[in-house]
Amino acid sequence: MKIAFIGLGNMGAPMARNLLKNGHTLNVFDLSRDAVQSLVDAGATASASPKAAATGVELVITMLPAAAHVKSVLTADDGVLAGIARGVTIVDSSTIDPASAQGFAKLAAEHGNPFVDAPVSGGTGGAAAGTLTFMVGANATAYEQVNPVLAVMGKNIVHCGDTGMGQVAKICNNLLLGITMAGVAEAMSLGAALGIDPKVLAGIVNTSTGRCWSSDTYNPFPGIIETAPSSRGYTGGFGTDLMLKDLGLAADAAKSAKQPIYLGALAQQLYQTMSQHGDGGLDFSAVIKLYRDVGAKR
Ligand code: NAD
C-alpha cells in the first residue's frame, strides 16, 4: 500500500520502519528534519507538508504527542484533509482523549474520509519489535480495512468498538496502571521500613492476592527484577510525564462522564509531585521515591 506516515518520534519511527520492511511505500512528514532523514535513509519519501504526504496515498497514519498536534496536522491549510482523496482512511495512533477522536472522526466524515483511533501499548520496544497492541475504535468496515496494516506493526489488534473506544480502552488501562504502580510502591516501601527483605516480600506478593504487572514484571523496588527500570536508576521505560498526560486524559474523560476516579485523582497528584521535583523524565515506577526518599534533601 502507499501510506502517509506523520509523526516519526520514539514510537512513530520504528512503526514506520516496520511498514517499509514489509513492502509498503511511505510518504513521511515530521517537524524534525533528523527524524525524516532517518526514515528516508530506510527507503521512505520525504514530504514537504501533511497535505503533500496525504496526496495520492491509500491510507494515512498519524503518531503525534497530543490532540492539539493531531488537530493541526489534519486541519491546517497544508494539513492532511487538504490533500487526501475522498474515501481514504485516516488512522490516528496517538494517545488522545476519546471526545477529540470522535470530533476528528466527524470532521473527517464531512470530507468523505473514515477515521480510526488506534492507540497502542507496548512502548518503544514493542514498536521496534512489531509486537504492539492496537486498541481500535472504528466501524466494522474501517476495522477490517486497517487490520492487515496494523498487524505489520503489532501482534494484538483489538476492535474495541466504534470511534473513540480505542482511546477509552487505552486511558482506562493506564489509569489502572498508574494506580497499581503507586500501590506496589507503597506496600514495598512499608515492608522495607518494617524490616522485611524486599525480595521475600515481592515473592509473597507475586504468589498472593496482591500480584499484578506492577509487582511481578515492573516492580518499583530496586534489585527485585533485573530487567525493570528500577534496577537501572529508573531510566528508559515509560516516562512519568507520559503517565501524567494519560492520567490527565482519564480525569478529563471522567469529568465529562460525571464519573468519580478517586484513586486516579490521587495517583495523578503523586506523579505531578514527581514531575515538580524534576523527576518527570524518569520511568513512572520512580513514584517509589516519594515513599523512600522522604527526609532526603531535594
Ligand atoms: P515523541 O514526542 O517521541 O514523537 C512525536 C513526534 O511528533 C515528534 O517527532 C515530533 O517532531 C512530531 N510532531 C509534533 N508535532 C508535529 C506536527 N505538527 N507535524 C508533524 N510532526 C509533529 O512521542 P512518542 O513517544 O512517539 O509518542 C507518540 C504518541 O504515542 C503519544 O500520544 C504518546 O502518548 C503515545 N504513546 C507513547 C508510548 C511510549 O512509550 N513512548 C507508548 C504508548 C503510546
Side-chain angles (χ1 to χ4, degrees):
M1 258 183 143
K2 189 159 186 196
I3 300 172
F5 204 112
I6 299 166
L8 307 166
N10 293 327
M11 297 293 288
M15 290 164 69
R17 261 192 211 101
N18 281 331
L19 290 172
L20 285 171
K21 271 188 218 150
N22 276 268
H24 294 287
T25 307
L26 291 198
N27 284 350
V28 293
F29 178 76
D30 193 289
L31 296 179
S32 153
R33 277 176 189 218
D34 289 349
V36 170
Q37 190 54 49
S38 122
L39 261 293
V40 168
D41 292 344
T45 303
S47 299
S49 65
K51 176 183 175 183
T55 303
V57 299
E58 299 158 89
L59 187 73
V60 173
I61 301 176
T62 53
M63 189 49 165
L64 297 158
H69 308 88
V70 181
K71 185 174 183 195
S72 108
V73 160
L74 293 184
T75 63
D77 288 347
D78 63 353
V80 166
L81 291 173
I84 194 170
R86 274 183 86 79
V88 170
T89 300
I90 301 167
V91 176
D92 178 40
S93 280
S94 325
T95 302
I96 64 171
D97 60 292
S100 290
Q102 287 159 344
F104 296 143
K106 201 161 166 251
L107 206 62
E110 286 161 12
H111 282 76
N113 298 101
F115 177 94
V116 171
D117 53 302
V120 300
S121 70
T124 51
T131 56
L132 293 169
T133 291
F134 280 88
M135 293 156 261
V136 185
N139 65 35
T141 314
Y143 173 74
E144 290 307 324
Q145 191 214 344
V146 301
N147 183 299
V149 178
L150 301 184
V152 167
M153 301 178 282
K155 79 170 181 215
N156 297 313
I157 320 297
V158 183
H159 191 192
C160 298
D162 227 326
T163 319
M165 294 308 120
Q167 299 293 355
V168 169
K170 169 78 185 171
I171 62 176
C172 290
N173 179 69
N174 280 21
L175 169 71
L176 182 57
L177 176 62
I179 294 168
T180 60
M181 183 55 76
V184 173
E186 188 164 302
M188 291 298 303
S189 302
L190 175 63
L194 294 174
I196 194 172
D197 178 342
K199 283 193 174 154
V200 172
L201 177 57
I204 293 295
V205 167
N206 290 335
T207 50
S208 303
T209 45
R211 184 178 64 84
C212 60
W213 184 87
S214 297
S215 71
D216 74 2
T217 305
Y218 219 79
N219 200 297
F221 204 97
I224 305 279
I225 294 166
E226 257 177 51
T227 50
S230 54
S231 294
R232 50 170 194 268
Y234 302 98
T235 55
F238 183 48
T240 294
D241 282 341
L242 280 179
M243 173 53 83
L244 197 48
K245 173 199 155 192
D246 291 358
L247 288 171
L249 294 176
D252 290 346
K255 192 172 171 195
S256 74
K258 296 193 167 47
Q259 181 67 26
I261 49 164
Y262 309 110
L263 299 179
L266 181 53
Q268 190 180 7
Q269 294 307 310
L270 296 176
Y271 296 106
Q272 184 69 68
T273 304
M274 288 173 66
S275 194
Q276 183 203 27
H277 288 171
D279 287 343
L282 294 183
D283 180 76
F284 78 114
S285 62
V287 69
I288 199 169
K289 281 155 73 77
L290 294 180
Y291 296 95
R292 301 191 67 232
D293 279 1
V294 172
K297 59 180 182 318
R298 289 207 174 267

